[in-house]
Amino acid sequence: MFDGREPIYHQIAEAIRGEVLSGALEEEDQVMSTTQYATTYRINPATAAKAFAQLVDEGVLYKRRGVGMFVAPGAADRLRAERRKAFFTERLDPVIREARLLGLSTEDLTDYLTTHAGSVPAATDTSEEGR
Amino acid sequence: MNGYAVSTENLGLSYGRTPALTDITVNLAADRIHGLLGRNGAGKTTLMSVLASLRRATRGTVRIDGQDPFENQSVMENVCLIRESGDLLVDERLKTNLTFLEGARPHFDRPYAESLMEAFRLNPRKKPQALSRGQASAFGAIVGLATRAPLTMFDEVHLGMDAPSRQRFYNELLTDFAERPRTIVLSSHLISEVEHMLETVTILHEGRLLLSGEADDLHARGATLTGPAATVDQHASGLQVVGTRNLGPTRQVTVFGDLDEQALEAAEHDGLQVGAVPLQDLFIHLTEPQPEEQAS
């Protein structure tokens, strides 16, 4: 945990986004408190609070005063829509570039997609981001 | 209760003619957890002793909550330094020590101290000299937590504790800090264990300030580049290289400074692995007498 170069609060926010996308956290589910985060991952409570603040800004979480943080209605759909926008440029373009280097043609790629895409299991956790 | 802000300006202290601290200027904001790191003899304990008014600075100024703390009772009773030695009434039972602290410390929470004694399995009827090193450390930690001082400094307190006790101490510290924010200064050799608890990091080296800043910034200023030696060298040129390791044809360099994220992406694009530098590694590199030529 927390071995990337990104600030830790980014990594926590990304892990929560991943849980919302995968359905591990559903709408109106309560997320762990900053204190629970702090003791579970041995991080400063302010770091967890920063991650929460970022997710509140993005509309992924919302705060119920005196109760805690909850997953906002529509959070998963919103995250999915945002990631769709970035998917082709950020994820697929590097794959295409790599394929070129290896001498694979566009046809090789489309062939693979048509024969294999259906049999790839769904991700259960998309929080893997480290580099 | 609010935590105390701490600042020093051009602070210096000499033992006779030997300088222990030279020109230390730091600002530690209130209500945060600050890390104070340094090799043995770097001046950590001396600095904390000055902040706790156990010693008087030879030069420069110290401000705690905006005041000079030296012989200033209203500040000093709210500043708690826990040293490994314990600073206890050694001939009195632990519970008598608690009674004494209750009278001396305005925010001391006795029921909390007693619950911690139970958690750490300390017998309140024992006297300090009957405690093992680990138990003495644990009692120090308990005193530091339950004193709830607006400025609380732990000087390597947890060194004597075993791993489960240290974990309990970290958990208690984080939980209590979350509920009652105050200014905490933590000095430790076990950097990897406390790294992510720290909001700021101050590193002393040979009595001088090496750096003091936000932990996140420090984290962003370090990177490792790993790959074929020539490619690594090409991307590391112009950067401050603080460590180099060679494994056959593969080279890993640790760079530190204002890193250009686009340049790092370019390095990744050229097939290099770009990684984070754990604080402990960065600390070792930065305080190494000769950081280069670490072939292994």
Side-chain angles (χ1 to χ4, degrees), chain B residues 18-44:
Chain B
T18 316
L21 293 175
T22 308
D23 224 10
I24 306 286
T25 299
V26 290
N27 279 295
L28 306 179
D31 299 334
R32 308 184 80 185
I33 301 182
H34 304 278
L36 180 59
L37 312 178
R39 297 191 170 212
N40 290 332
K44 297 173 306 237

mmCIF file with all atom_site columns, all heavy atoms in Angstrom, chain B residues 18-44:
data_model
loop_
_atom_site.group_PDB
_atom_site.id
_atom_site.type_symbol
_atom_site.label_atom_id
_atom_site.label_alt_id
_atom_site.label_comp_id
_atom_site.label_asym_id
_atom_site.label_entity_id
_atom_site.label_seq_id
_atom_site.pdbx_PDB_ins_code
_atom_site.Cartn_x
_atom_site.Cartn_y
_atom_site.Cartn_z
_atom_site.occupancy
_atom_site.B_iso_or_equiv
_atom_site.pdbx_formal_charge
_atom_site.auth_seq_id
_atom_site.auth_comp_id
_atom_site.auth_asym_id
_atom_site.auth_atom_id
_atom_site.pdbx_PDB_model_num
ATOM 1   N N   . THR B 1 18 ? 31.950 23.132 21.927 1.00 0.00 ? 18 THR B N   1
ATOM 2   C CA  . THR B 1 18 ? 31.457 22.237 20.887 1.00 0.00 ? 18 THR B CA  1
ATOM 3   C C   . THR B 1 18 ? 30.038 22.635 20.465 1.00 0.00 ? 18 THR B C   1
ATOM 4   O O   . THR B 1 18 ? 29.126 22.594 21.286 1.00 0.00 ? 18 THR B O   1
ATOM 5   C CB  . THR B 1 18 ? 31.405 20.787 21.405 1.00 0.00 ? 18 THR B CB  1
ATOM 6   O OG1 . THR B 1 18 ? 32.618 20.534 22.109 1.00 0.00 ? 18 THR B OG1 1
ATOM 7   C CG2 . THR B 1 18 ? 31.228 19.805 20.272 1.00 0.00 ? 18 THR B CG2 1
ATOM 8   N N   . PRO B 1 19 ? 29.871 23.033 19.220 1.00 0.00 ? 19 PRO B N   1
ATOM 9   C CA  . PRO B 1 19 ? 28.511 23.381 18.795 1.00 0.00 ? 19 PRO B CA  1
ATOM 10  C C   . PRO B 1 19 ? 27.654 22.125 18.643 1.00 0.00 ? 19 PRO B C   1
ATOM 11  O O   . PRO B 1 19 ? 28.081 21.168 17.999 1.00 0.00 ? 19 PRO B O   1
ATOM 12  C CB  . PRO B 1 19 ? 28.721 24.075 17.454 1.00 0.00 ? 19 PRO B CB  1
ATOM 13  C CG  . PRO B 1 19 ? 30.039 23.596 16.946 1.00 0.00 ? 19 PRO B CG  1
ATOM 14  C CD  . PRO B 1 19 ? 30.862 23.185 18.136 1.00 0.00 ? 19 PRO B CD  1
ATOM 15  N N   . ALA B 1 20 ? 26.478 22.113 19.264 1.00 0.00 ? 20 ALA B N   1
ATOM 16  C CA  . ALA B 1 20 ? 25.567 20.974 19.118 1.00 0.00 ? 20 ALA B CA  1
ATOM 17  C C   . ALA B 1 20 ? 24.484 21.318 18.099 1.00 0.00 ? 20 ALA B C   1
ATOM 18  O O   . ALA B 1 20 ? 24.003 20.455 17.371 1.00 0.00 ? 20 ALA B O   1
ATOM 19  C CB  . ALA B 1 20 ? 24.937 20.628 20.456 1.00 0.00 ? 20 ALA B CB  1
ATOM 20  N N   . LEU B 1 21 ? 24.090 22.580 18.066 1.00 0.00 ? 21 LEU B N   1
ATOM 21  C CA  . LEU B 1 21 ? 23.094 23.044 17.102 1.00 0.00 ? 21 LEU B CA  1
ATOM 22  C C   . LEU B 1 21 ? 23.590 24.360 16.518 1.00 0.00 ? 21 LEU B C   1
ATOM 23  O O   . LEU B 1 21 ? 24.092 25.216 17.246 1.00 0.00 ? 21 LEU B O   1
ATOM 24  C CB  . LEU B 1 21 ? 21.742 23.291 17.769 1.00 0.00 ? 21 LEU B CB  1
ATOM 25  C CG  . LEU B 1 21 ? 20.984 22.085 18.320 1.00 0.00 ? 21 LEU B CG  1
ATOM 26  C CD1 . LEU B 1 21 ? 19.735 22.560 19.056 1.00 0.00 ? 21 LEU B CD1 1
ATOM 27  C CD2 . LEU B 1 21 ? 20.600 21.128 17.198 1.00 0.00 ? 21 LEU B CD2 1
ATOM 28  N N   . THR B 1 22 ? 23.458 24.509 15.212 1.00 0.00 ? 22 THR B N   1
ATOM 29  C CA  . THR B 1 22 ? 23.908 25.724 14.560 1.00 0.00 ? 22 THR B CA  1
ATOM 30  C C   . THR B 1 22 ? 22.825 26.239 13.617 1.00 0.00 ? 22 THR B C   1
ATOM 31  O O   . THR B 1 22 ? 22.384 25.501 12.736 1.00 0.00 ? 22 THR B O   1
ATOM 32  C CB  . THR B 1 22 ? 25.197 25.451 13.740 1.00 0.00 ? 22 THR B CB  1
ATOM 33  O OG1 . THR B 1 22 ? 26.146 24.808 14.600 1.00 0.00 ? 22 THR B OG1 1
ATOM 34  C CG2 . THR B 1 22 ? 25.795 26.742 13.204 1.00 0.00 ? 22 THR B CG2 1
ATOM 35  N N   . ASP B 1 23 ? 22.397 27.459 13.872 1.00 0.00 ? 23 ASP B N   1
ATOM 36  C CA  . ASP B 1 23 ? 21.562 28.148 12.893 1.00 0.00 ? 23 ASP B CA  1
ATOM 37  C C   . ASP B 1 23 ? 20.294 27.388 12.496 1.00 0.00 ? 23 ASP B C   1
ATOM 38  O O   . ASP B 1 23 ? 20.020 27.209 11.321 1.00 0.00 ? 23 ASP B O   1
ATOM 39  C CB  . ASP B 1 23 ? 22.412 28.377 11.630 1.00 0.00 ? 23 ASP B CB  1
ATOM 40  C CG  . ASP B 1 23 ? 22.194 29.787 11.099 1.00 0.00 ? 23 ASP B CG  1
ATOM 41  O OD1 . ASP B 1 23 ? 21.568 30.592 11.810 1.00 0.00 ? 23 ASP B OD1 1
ATOM 42  O OD2 . ASP B 1 23 ? 22.632 30.058 9.965  1.00 0.00 ? 23 ASP B OD2 1
ATOM 43  N N   . ILE B 1 24 ? 19.548 26.942 13.492 1.00 0.00 ? 24 ILE B N   1
ATOM 44  C CA  . ILE B 1 24 ? 18.337 26.174 13.196 1.00 0.00 ? 24 ILE B CA  1
ATOM 45  C C   . ILE B 1 24 ? 17.134 27.112 13.113 1.00 0.00 ? 24 ILE B C   1
ATOM 46  O O   . ILE B 1 24 ? 16.772 27.749 14.104 1.00 0.00 ? 24 ILE B O   1
ATOM 47  C CB  . ILE B 1 24 ? 18.062 25.125 14.299 1.00 0.00 ? 24 ILE B CB  1
ATOM 48  C CG1 . ILE B 1 24 ? 19.278 24.231 14.537 1.00 0.00 ? 24 ILE B CG1 1
ATOM 49  C CG2 . ILE B 1 24 ? 16.812 24.318 13.965 1.00 0.00 ? 24 ILE B CG2 1
ATOM 50  C CD1 . ILE B 1 24 ? 19.543 23.218 13.475 1.00 0.00 ? 24 ILE B CD1 1
ATOM 51  N N   . THR B 1 25 ? 16.525 27.179 11.946 1.00 0.00 ? 25 THR B N   1
ATOM 52  C CA  . THR B 1 25 ? 15.306 27.962 11.781 1.00 0.00 ? 25 THR B CA  1
ATOM 53  C C   . THR B 1 25 ? 14.213 27.032 11.276 1.00 0.00 ? 25 THR B C   1
ATOM 54  O O   . THR B 1 25 ? 14.299 26.524 10.160 1.00 0.00 ? 25 THR B O   1
ATOM 55  C CB  . THR B 1 25 ? 15.519 29.112 10.776 1.00 0.00 ? 25 THR B CB  1
ATOM 56  O OG1 . THR B 1 25 ? 16.544 29.970 11.291 1.00 0.00 ? 25 THR B OG1 1
ATOM 57  C CG2 . THR B 1 25 ? 14.240 29.919 10.581 1.00 0.00 ? 25 THR B CG2 1
ATOM 58  N N   . VAL B 1 26 ? 13.247 26.762 12.136 1.00 0.00 ? 26 VAL B N   1
ATOM 59  C CA  . VAL B 1 26 ? 12.140 25.890 11.722 1.00 0.00 ? 26 VAL B CA  1
ATOM 60  C C   . VAL B 1 26 ? 10.816 26.487 12.169 1.00 0.00 ? 26 VAL B C   1
ATOM 61  O O   . VAL B 1 26 ? 10.746 27.267 13.132 1.00 0.00 ? 26 VAL B O   1
ATOM 62  C CB  . VAL B 1 26 ? 12.239 24.460 12.325 1.00 0.00 ? 26 VAL B CB  1
ATOM 63  C CG1 . VAL B 1 26 ? 13.387 23.678 11.723 1.00 0.00 ? 26 VAL B CG1 1
ATOM 64  C CG2 . VAL B 1 26 ? 12.348 24.490 13.832 1.00 0.00 ? 26 VAL B CG2 1
ATOM 65  N N   . ASN B 1 27 ? 9.759  26.114 11.459 1.00 0.00 ? 27 ASN B N   1
ATOM 66  C CA  . ASN B 1 27 ? 8.401  26.488 11.834 1.00 0.00 ? 27 ASN B CA  1
ATOM 67  C C   . ASN B 1 27 ? 7.566  25.223 11.854 1.00 0.00 ? 27 ASN B C   1
ATOM 68  O O   . ASN B 1 27 ? 7.420  24.573 10.816 1.00 0.00 ? 27 ASN B O   1
ATOM 69  C CB  . ASN B 1 27 ? 7.809  27.455 10.812 1.00 0.00 ? 27 ASN B CB  1
ATOM 70  C CG  . ASN B 1 27 ? 8.282  28.866 11.051 1.00 0.00 ? 27 ASN B CG  1
ATOM 71  O OD1 . ASN B 1 27 ? 7.961  29.462 12.085 1.00 0.00 ? 27 ASN B OD1 1
ATOM 72  N ND2 . ASN B 1 27 ? 9.072  29.385 10.137 1.00 0.00 ? 27 ASN B ND2 1
ATOM 73  N N   . LEU B 1 28 ? 7.058  24.878 13.018 1.00 0.00 ? 28 LEU B N   1
ATOM 74  C CA  . LEU B 1 28 ? 6.204  23.706 13.126 1.00 0.00 ? 28 LEU B CA  1
ATOM 75  C C   . LEU B 1 28 ? 4.802  24.202 13.492 1.00 0.00 ? 28 LEU B C   1
ATOM 76  O O   . LEU B 1 28 ? 4.585  24.721 14.587 1.00 0.00 ? 28 LEU B O   1
ATOM 77  C CB  . LEU B 1 28 ? 6.738  22.740 14.196 1.00 0.00 ? 28 LEU B CB  1
ATOM 78  C CG  . LEU B 1 28 ? 8.207  22.304 14.017 1.00 0.00 ? 28 LEU B CG  1
ATOM 79  C CD1 . LEU B 1 28 ? 8.639  21.372 15.157 1.00 0.00 ? 28 LEU B CD1 1
ATOM 80  C CD2 . LEU B 1 28 ? 8.413  21.614 12.668 1.00 0.00 ? 28 LEU B CD2 1
ATOM 81  N N   . ALA B 1 29 ? 3.880  24.039 12.551 1.00 0.00 ? 29 ALA B N   1
ATOM 82  C CA  . ALA B 1 29 ? 2.533  24.569 12.747 1.00 0.00 ? 29 ALA B CA  1
ATOM 83  C C   . ALA B 1 29 ? 1.800  23.788 13.836 1.00 0.00 ? 29 ALA B C   1
ATOM 84  O O   . ALA B 1 29 ? 2.116  22.630 14.111 1.00 0.00 ? 29 ALA B O   1
ATOM 85  C CB  . ALA B 1 29 ? 1.758  24.494 11.433 1.00 0.00 ? 29 ALA B CB  1
ATOM 86  N N   . ALA B 1 30 ? 0.809  24.423 14.431 1.00 0.00 ? 30 ALA B N   1
ATOM 87  C CA  . ALA B 1 30 ? 0.029  23.796 15.495 1.00 0.00 ? 30 ALA B CA  1
ATOM 88  C C   . ALA B 1 30 ? -0.826 22.661 14.940 1.00 0.00 ? 30 ALA B C   1
ATOM 89  O O   . ALA B 1 30 ? -1.197 22.649 13.765 1.00 0.00 ? 30 ALA B O   1
ATOM 90  C CB  . ALA B 1 30 ? -0.865 24.844 16.158 1.00 0.00 ? 30 ALA B CB  1
ATOM 91  N N   . ASP B 1 31 ? -1.129 21.701 15.806 1.00 0.00 ? 31 ASP B N   1
ATOM 92  C CA  . ASP B 1 31 ? -2.091 20.637 15.520 1.00 0.00 ? 31 ASP B CA  1
ATOM 93  C C   . ASP B 1 31 ? -1.704 19.724 14.364 1.00 0.00 ? 31 ASP B C   1
ATOM 94  O O   . ASP B 1 31 ? -2.563 19.279 13.597 1.00 0.00 ? 31 ASP B O   1
ATOM 95  C CB  . ASP B 1 31 ? -3.486 21.234 15.257 1.00 0.00 ? 31 ASP B CB  1
ATOM 96  C CG  . ASP B 1 31 ? -4.016 21.994 16.454 1.00 0.00 ? 31 ASP B CG  1
ATOM 97  O OD1 . ASP B 1 31 ? -3.595 21.669 17.583 1.00 0.00 ? 31 ASP B OD1 1
ATOM 98  O OD2 . ASP B 1 31 ? -4.826 22.921 16.269 1.00 0.00 ? 31 ASP B OD2 1
ATOM 99  N N   . ARG B 1 32 ? -0.421 19.468 14.241 1.00 0.00 ? 32 ARG B N   1
ATOM 100 C CA  . ARG B 1 32 ? 0.018  18.525 13.219 1.00 0.00 ? 32 ARG B CA  1
ATOM 101 C C   . ARG B 1 32 ? 1.017  17.560 13.843 1.00 0.00 ? 32 ARG B C   1
ATOM 102 O O   . ARG B 1 32 ? 1.538  17.811 14.923 1.00 0.00 ? 32 ARG B O   1
ATOM 103 C CB  . ARG B 1 32 ? 0.691  19.256 12.057 1.00 0.00 ? 32 ARG B CB  1
ATOM 104 C CG  . ARG B 1 32 ? -0.146 20.383 11.494 1.00 0.00 ? 32 ARG B CG  1
ATOM 105 C CD  . ARG B 1 32 ? 0.513  21.001 10.284 1.00 0.00 ? 32 ARG B CD  1
ATOM 106 N NE  . ARG B 1 32 ? 0.290  20.182 9.088  1.00 0.00 ? 32 ARG B NE  1
ATOM 107 C CZ  . ARG B 1 32 ? 0.845  20.451 7.903  1.00 0.00 ? 32 ARG B CZ  1
ATOM 108 N NH1 . ARG B 1 32 ? 1.652  21.462 7.767  1.00 0.00 ? 32 ARG B NH1 1
ATOM 109 N NH2 . ARG B 1 32 ? 0.584  19.688 6.861  1.00 0.00 ? 32 ARG B NH2 1
ATOM 110 N N   . ILE B 1 33 ? 1.294  16.483 13.119 1.00 0.00 ? 33 ILE B N   1
ATOM 111 C CA  . ILE B 1 33 ? 2.317  15.535 13.570 1.00 0.00 ? 33 ILE B CA  1
ATOM 112 C C   . ILE B 1 33 ? 3.585  15.786 12.753 1.00 0.00 ? 33 ILE B C   1
ATOM 113 O O   . ILE B 1 33 ? 3.583  15.664 11.526 1.00 0.00 ? 33 ILE B O   1
ATOM 114 C CB  . ILE B 1 33 ? 1.852  14.078 13.406 1.00 0.00 ? 33 ILE B CB  1
ATOM 115 C CG1 . ILE B 1 33 ? 0.571  13.831 14.210 1.00 0.00 ? 33 ILE B CG1 1
ATOM 116 C CG2 . ILE B 1 33 ? 2.949  13.109 13.857 1.00 0.00 ? 33 ILE B CG2 1
ATOM 117 C CD1 . ILE B 1 33 ? 0.043  12.402 14.145 1.00 0.00 ? 33 ILE B CD1 1
ATOM 118 N N   . HIS B 1 34 ? 4.614  16.207 13.456 1.00 0.00 ? 34 HIS B N   1
ATOM 119 C CA  . HIS B 1 34 ? 5.879  16.543 12.810 1.00 0.00 ? 34 HIS B CA  1
ATOM 120 C C   . HIS B 1 34 ? 6.918  15.460 13.081 1.00 0.00 ? 34 HIS B C   1
ATOM 121 O O   . HIS B 1 34 ? 7.029  14.994 14.209 1.00 0.00 ? 34 HIS B O   1
ATOM 122 C CB  . HIS B 1 34 ? 6.410  17.877 13.360 1.00 0.00 ? 34 HIS B CB  1
ATOM 123 C CG  . HIS B 1 34 ? 5.449  19.013 13.231 1.00 0.00 ? 34 HIS B CG  1
ATOM 124 N ND1 . HIS B 1 34 ? 5.294  19.727 12.062 1.00 0.00 ? 34 HIS B ND1 1
ATOM 125 C CD2 . HIS B 1 34 ? 4.562  19.542 14.116 1.00 0.00 ? 34 HIS B CD2 1
ATOM 126 C CE1 . HIS B 1 34 ? 4.372  20.667 12.244 1.00 0.00 ? 34 HIS B CE1 1
ATOM 127 N NE2 . HIS B 1 34 ? 3.908  20.576 13.481 1.00 0.00 ? 34 HIS B NE2 1
ATOM 128 N N   . GLY B 1 35 ? 7.671  15.113 12.068 1.00 0.00 ? 35 GLY B N   1
ATOM 129 C CA  . GLY B 1 35 ? 8.752  14.152 12.251 1.00 0.00 ? 35 GLY B CA  1
ATOM 130 C C   . GLY B 1 35 ? 10.079 14.883 12.385 1.00 0.00 ? 35 GLY B C   1
ATOM 131 O O   . GLY B 1 35 ? 10.349 15.817 11.628 1.00 0.00 ? 35 GLY B O   1
ATOM 132 N N   . LEU B 1 36 ? 10.875 14.462 13.358 1.00 0.00 ? 36 LEU B N   1
ATOM 133 C CA  . LEU B 1 36 ? 12.207 15.038 13.524 1.00 0.00 ? 36 LEU B CA  1
ATOM 134 C C   . LEU B 1 36 ? 13.213 13.899 13.364 1.00 0.00 ? 36 LEU B C   1
ATOM 135 O O   . LEU B 1 36 ? 13.246 12.974 14.170 1.00 0.00 ? 36 LEU B O   1
ATOM 136 C CB  . LEU B 1 36 ? 12.334 15.684 14.908 1.00 0.00 ? 36 LEU B CB  1
ATOM 137 C CG  . LEU B 1 36 ? 13.685 16.338 15.231 1.00 0.00 ? 36 LEU B CG  1
ATOM 138 C CD1 . LEU B 1 36 ? 14.017 17.444 14.243 1.00 0.00 ? 36 LEU B CD1 1
ATOM 139 C CD2 . LEU B 1 36 ? 13.662 16.883 16.652 1.00 0.00 ? 36 LEU B CD2 1
ATOM 140 N N   . LEU B 1 37 ? 13.962 13.945 12.281 1.00 0.00 ? 37 LEU B N   1
ATOM 141 C CA  . LEU B 1 37 ? 14.856 12.839 11.954 1.00 0.00 ? 37 LEU B CA  1
ATOM 142 C C   . LEU B 1 37 ? 16.298 13.298 11.944 1.00 0.00 ? 37 LEU B C   1
ATOM 143 O O   . LEU B 1 37 ? 16.596 14.466 11.695 1.00 0.00 ? 37 LEU B O   1
ATOM 144 C CB  . LEU B 1 37 ? 14.507 12.263 10.571 1.00 0.00 ? 37 LEU B CB  1
ATOM 145 C CG  . LEU B 1 37 ? 13.034 11.956 10.286 1.00 0.00 ? 37 LEU B CG  1
ATOM 146 C CD1 . LEU B 1 37 ? 12.874 11.438 8.861  1.00 0.00 ? 37 LEU B CD1 1
ATOM 147 C CD2 . LEU B 1 37 ? 12.489 10.942 11.273 1.00 0.00 ? 37 LEU B CD2 1
ATOM 148 N N   . GLY B 1 38 ? 17.178 12.368 12.197 1.00 0.00 ? 38 GLY B N   1
ATOM 149 C CA  . GLY B 1 38 ? 18.602 12.653 12.158 1.00 0.00 ? 38 GLY B CA  1
ATOM 150 C C   . GLY B 1 38 ? 19.357 11.439 12.639 1.00 0.00 ? 38 GLY B C   1
ATOM 151 O O   . GLY B 1 38 ? 18.797 10.619 13.377 1.00 0.00 ? 38 GLY B O   1
ATOM 152 N N   . ARG B 1 39 ? 20.597 11.327 12.206 1.00 0.00 ? 39 ARG B N   1
ATOM 153 C CA  . ARG B 1 39 ? 21.403 10.211 12.682 1.00 0.00 ? 39 ARG B CA  1
ATOM 154 C C   . ARG B 1 39 ? 21.750 10.444 14.148 1.00 0.00 ? 39 ARG B C   1
ATOM 155 O O   . ARG B 1 39 ? 21.527 11.526 14.680 1.00 0.00 ? 39 ARG B O   1
ATOM 156 C CB  . ARG B 1 39 ? 22.669 10.102 11.852 1.00 0.00 ? 39 ARG B CB  1
ATOM 157 C CG  . ARG B 1 39 ? 22.347 9.803  10.409 1.00 0.00 ? 39 ARG B CG  1
ATOM 158 C CD  . ARG B 1 39 ? 23.567 9.423  9.614  1.00 0.00 ? 39 ARG B CD  1
ATOM 159 N NE  . ARG B 1 39 ? 23.112 8.930  8.317  1.00 0.00 ? 39 ARG B NE  1
ATOM 160 C CZ  . ARG B 1 39 ? 23.727 7.996  7.607  1.00 0.00 ? 39 ARG B CZ  1
ATOM 161 N NH1 . ARG B 1 39 ? 24.844 7.471  8.055  1.00 0.00 ? 39 ARG B NH1 1
ATOM 162 N NH2 . ARG B 1 39 ? 23.234 7.602  6.451  1.00 0.00 ? 39 ARG B NH2 1
ATOM 163 N N   . ASN B 1 40 ? 22.335 9.446  14.781 1.00 0.00 ? 40 ASN B N   1
ATOM 164 C CA  . ASN B 1 40 ? 22.763 9.624  16.169 1.00 0.00 ? 40 ASN B CA  1
ATOM 165 C C   . ASN B 1 40 ? 23.702 10.816 16.247 1.00 0.00 ? 40 ASN B C   1
ATOM 166 O O   . ASN B 1 40 ? 24.598 10.961 15.425 1.00 0.00 ? 40 ASN B O   1
ATOM 167 C CB  . ASN B 1 40 ? 23.490 8.374  16.660 1.00 0.00 ? 40 ASN B CB  1
ATOM 168 C CG  . ASN B 1 40 ? 22.536 7.210  16.825 1.00 0.00 ? 40 ASN B CG  1
ATOM 169 O OD1 . ASN B 1 40 ? 21.351 7.414  17.082 1.00 0.00 ? 40 ASN B OD1 1
ATOM 170 N ND2 . ASN B 1 40 ? 23.032 6.008  16.660 1.00 0.00 ? 40 ASN B ND2 1
ATOM 171 N N   . GLY B 1 41 ? 23.469 11.673 17.222 1.00 0.00 ? 41 GLY B N   1
ATOM 172 C CA  . GLY B 1 41 ? 24.354 12.820 17.397 1.00 0.00 ? 41 GLY B CA  1
ATOM 173 C C   . GLY B 1 41 ? 24.043 13.982 16.472 1.00 0.00 ? 41 GLY B C   1
ATOM 174 O O   . GLY B 1 41 ? 24.787 14.956 16.440 1.00 0.00 ? 41 GLY B O   1
ATOM 175 N N   . ALA B 1 42 ? 22.951 13.908 15.732 1.00 0.00 ? 42 ALA B N   1
ATOM 176 C CA  . ALA B 1 42 ? 22.627 14.984 14.792 1.00 0.00 ? 42 ALA B CA  1
ATOM 177 C C   . ALA B 1 42 ? 22.086 16.222 15.499 1.00 0.00 ? 42 ALA B C   1
ATOM 178 O O   . ALA B 1 42 ? 22.068 17.310 14.924 1.00 0.00 ? 42 ALA B O   1
ATOM 179 C CB  . ALA B 1 42 ? 21.614 14.489 13.758 1.00 0.00 ? 42 ALA B CB  1
ATOM 180 N N   . GLY B 1 43 ? 21.613 16.051 16.741 1.00 0.00 ? 43 GLY B N   1
ATOM 181 C CA  . GLY B 1 43 ? 21.113 17.196 17.491 1.00 0.00 ? 43 GLY B CA  1
ATOM 182 C C   . GLY B 1 43 ? 19.617 17.153 17.787 1.00 0.00 ? 43 GLY B C   1
ATOM 183 O O   . GLY B 1 43 ? 19.062 18.113 18.319 1.00 0.00 ? 43 GLY B O   1
ATOM 184 N N   . LYS B 1 44 ? 18.964 16.022 17.477 1.00 0.00 ? 44 LYS B N   1
ATOM 185 C CA  . LYS B 1 44 ? 17.510 15.923 17.708 1.00 0.00 ? 44 LYS B CA  1
ATOM 186 C C   . LYS B 1 44 ? 17.157 16.120 19.179 1.00 0.00 ? 44 LYS B C   1
ATOM 187 O O   . LYS B 1 44 ? 16.266 16.905 19.521 1.00 0.00 ? 44 LYS B O   1
ATOM 188 C CB  . LYS B 1 44 ? 16.979 14.540 17.284 1.00 0.00 ? 44 LYS B CB  1
ATOM 189 C CG  . LYS B 1 44 ? 17.131 14.223 15.828 1.00 0.00 ? 44 LYS B CG  1
ATOM 190 C CD  . LYS B 1 44 ? 16.719 12.778 15.577 1.00 0.00 ? 44 LYS B CD  1
ATOM 191 C CE  . LYS B 1 44 ? 17.453 11.834 16.444 1.00 0.00 ? 44 LYS B CE  1
ATOM 192 N NZ  . LYS B 1 44 ? 18.228 10.761 15.986 1.00 0.00 ? 44 LYS B NZ  1
#
